[in-house]
Amino acid sequence: MHGANLADFAEGTAVFLGSYFLLMAIMNFVAYVWVWLREGLGWKYRLAPIIFAAIFFALSPVLFSGQASAYSLLLPHFVKEGINTISGAVTFTIGSTLALIVLYIFRRFFVQPVVAWILLNLALLLMGLSMTDPNFAAIVTKPDNVPIVGLVFLLGYFTWLATYRAVINDDRAAQGLPPTEKLDSEKVLVWPDLVYTELICMIALSALLLVWAIGLKAPLEEPASSVKTPNPSKAPWYFLGLQEMLVYYDPWMAGVVLPSLIIFGLMAIPFIDFNKKGNGYYTIKERPFAYIVFQIGFLDLWITLIILGTFLRGPNWNFFGPFEYWDPHKVLALNNVDLSEMFYKRFLPALGVNSGMPKAPEGANFLVTLFYIVMREAPGILSLVLYFGLLPPLMATTIFRKFFVRMGFIRYMVLANLLLFMVALPLKMVLRWSFNLKYIVAIPEYFLNF
């Protein structure tokens, strides 16, 4: 552990962590009482809340004691070191993707309320135990990051709720019944029904923000100065996905082209969509392709980048484990090379061909210079041509044949290229992590890099 004394940390956070575990215990006890009062809910619905209530109640006095030995016992050092060791960009990204796949395949199991409640409590328990580490607590309890932690849990809840209702509607559709939204389609008046509900929400939210403002200091920093730059210098949380993309693409690509394609793709959905089912109600089986693309694009290629940039990117934009001290002096030697360098300086010499990198003669005119640039970047240019030129027709004759037949040439090509651009982001990330690939096509003479 660096930068903090565990004994002082335990003493300073005893009230906070003890109150956290006590609050979680009360939450589970209230849930148990609510389940007990409802008819028709079996013992398994009562068992999970009372077990977690007992666990949180038992841990609460241990945390209130503020003993450093208790902190070390609850989260041993070897566990934290093991998590730090396996943490990284590749593990995080691949792990989140595999988690989404598992959740999708076994969604009928995971949407069960009792299973969701168990997963929520396990997440809250793990977070509470992790906050006994000073380095983890410093990141999670940072005033800037507290709302992001809350948003992560809210996102998990609303994703579960939507999937839960979609599974119910899919089961009803299999039985020939209308979706649940049709059963609750009664119209109500704006006043007093809607306005009254909004007024209550406004009062409750105002009270929450008031308590928040009193209990948590505003994340104000020193006035901006050109001679002192924060390290790490991070964008607001909603732009951290774009900032992470800047690691793998040039600014014009990550900051202009890809965000524009995202907006264009969202605008194009009504024009390229041929499946009219699922309008006004939750469903998965009736729109599996749209559901999978959205979940991958939003959760896996956007939310995970925000989480990565918030909690795992530290000084000098290096990766740090969840329990690792953010050492500003940490330096990682990265030798990122372009595809053209790999081809001419590694691949060809390995075959016994030492041609060297094509280079235009001194004083060559524009056309000659352009010719040598094309020769130099021929491997990358050929890769992009094959990627964007060969894959769409190949997809149209195989896995996307039904889409091509129903959508027509133009709509299908728009869809195919949007999908290829979406896949290009994780593909480029994997190539960077696995092979230290910097650019597929590098034309620094004209500030044009892919």
Side-chain angles (χ1 to χ4, degrees), residues 159-360:
T159 302
W160 167 82
L161 179 63
T163 309
Y164 173 69
R165 300 193 62 174
V167 169
I168 293 177
N169 284 339
D170 290 339
D171 291 340
R172 292 179 61 86
Q175 301 171 12
L177 300 174
T180 55
E181 285 78 5
K182 289 289 185 180
L183 305 178
D184 191 21
S185 58
E186 180 183 358
K187 294 183 179 180
V188 296
L189 298 173
V190 173
W191 174 264
D193 300 276
L194 176 63
V195 176
Y196 186 70
T197 304
E198 290 177 340
L199 177 63
I200 296 176
C201 292
M202 182 189 70
I203 295 174
L205 186 59
S206 299
L208 174 63
L209 291 177
L210 183 62
V211 174
W212 189 323
I214 295 174
L216 193 66
K217 295 182 179 180
L220 300 178
E221 298 180 357
E222 299 177 357
S225 173
S226 59
V227 298
K228 184 179 180 181
T229 304
N231 187 15
S233 183
K234 294 186 178 182
W237 67 268
Y238 42 84
F239 283 143
L240 279 179
L242 293 178
Q243 188 171 359
E244 182 64 24
M245 290 163 58
L246 286 168
V247 177
Y248 314 100
Y249 292 97
D250 258 16
W252 69 272
M253 188 72 177
V256 179
V257 175
L258 291 179
S260 299
L261 285 175
I262 293 174
I263 297 174
F264 172 76
L266 294 173
M267 294 169 57
I269 287 176
F271 301 98
I272 63 178
D273 184 22
F274 62 85
N275 187 354
K276 303 305 178 183
K277 295 181 179 181
N279 186 11
Y281 59 93
Y282 292 99
T283 181
I284 294 177
K285 284 187 176 180
E286 295 182 358
R287 302 186 62 89
F289 176 76
Y291 177 83
I292 293 173
V293 171
F294 173 79
Q295 294 287 42
I296 292 177
F298 179 63
L299 295 179
D300 200 27
L301 300 183
W302 189 249
I303 298 301
T304 54
L305 293 183
I306 293 176
I307 297 175
L308 187 150
T310 302
F311 302 110
L312 299 181
R313 286 289 195 179
N316 306 316
W317 210 245
N318 288 321
F319 281 108
F320 289 85
F323 306 104
E324 187 177 354
Y325 171 64
W326 281 15
D327 186 0
H329 304 292
K330 179 180 179 180
V331 178
L332 294 178
L334 295 176
N335 186 25
N336 296 324
V337 296
D338 301 323
L339 181 61
S340 56
E341 294 183 66
M342 289 185 178
F343 182 77
Y344 286 104
K345 294 184 179 181
R346 297 182 183 179
F347 179 71
L348 289 184
L351 297 178
V353 181
N354 296 309
S355 60
M357 293 277 289
K359 184 178 180 180

Side-chain angles (χ1 to χ4, degrees), residues 64 152 286 432:
F64 270 123
V152 170
E286 295 182 358
R432 172 66 64 86

Side-chain angles (χ1 to χ4, degrees), residues 115-131:
V115 176
W117 187 257
I118 292 174
L119 293 178
L120 172 62
N121 277 278
L122 288 176
L124 293 172
L125 178 62
L126 178 61
M127 182 174 175
L129 295 177
S130 298
M131 282 194 293

Side-chain angles (χ1 to χ4, degrees), residues 50-179:
I50 199 64
I51 289 178
F52 279 106
I55 293 174
F56 282 116
F57 267 127
L59 290 175
S60 179
V62 176
L63 274 302
F64 270 123
S65 67
Q67 297 295 323
S69 57
Y71 279 45
S72 301
L73 183 63
L74 290 175
L75 195 66
H77 180 71
F78 73 90
V79 174
K80 294 186 286 187
E81 287 298 320
I83 295 176
N84 287 336
T85 301
I86 64 175
S87 296
V90 178
T91 307
F92 177 78
T93 306
I94 296 179
S96 60
T97 304
L98 293 178
L100 279 178
I101 294 174
V102 171
L103 291 174
Y104 173 76
I105 295 175
F106 301 101
R107 61 185 180 276
R108 193 172 301 278
F109 169 78
F110 287 107
V111 298
Q112 298 180 62
V114 63
V115 176
W117 187 257
I118 292 174
L119 293 178
L120 172 62
N121 277 278
L122 288 176
L124 293 172
L125 178 62
L126 178 61
M127 182 174 175
L129 295 177
S130 298
M131 282 194 293
T132 60
D133 179 79
N135 300 320
F136 183 89
I139 301 172
V140 175
T141 59
K142 185 180 178 181
D144 279 339
N145 295 342
V146 170
I148 305 176
V149 175
L151 287 175
V152 170
F153 281 96
L154 285 175
L155 179 64
Y157 166 73
F158 285 112
T159 302
W160 167 82
L161 179 63
T163 309
Y164 173 69
R165 300 193 62 174
V167 169
I168 293 177
N169 284 339
D170 290 339
D171 291 340
R172 292 179 61 86
Q175 301 171 12
L177 300 174

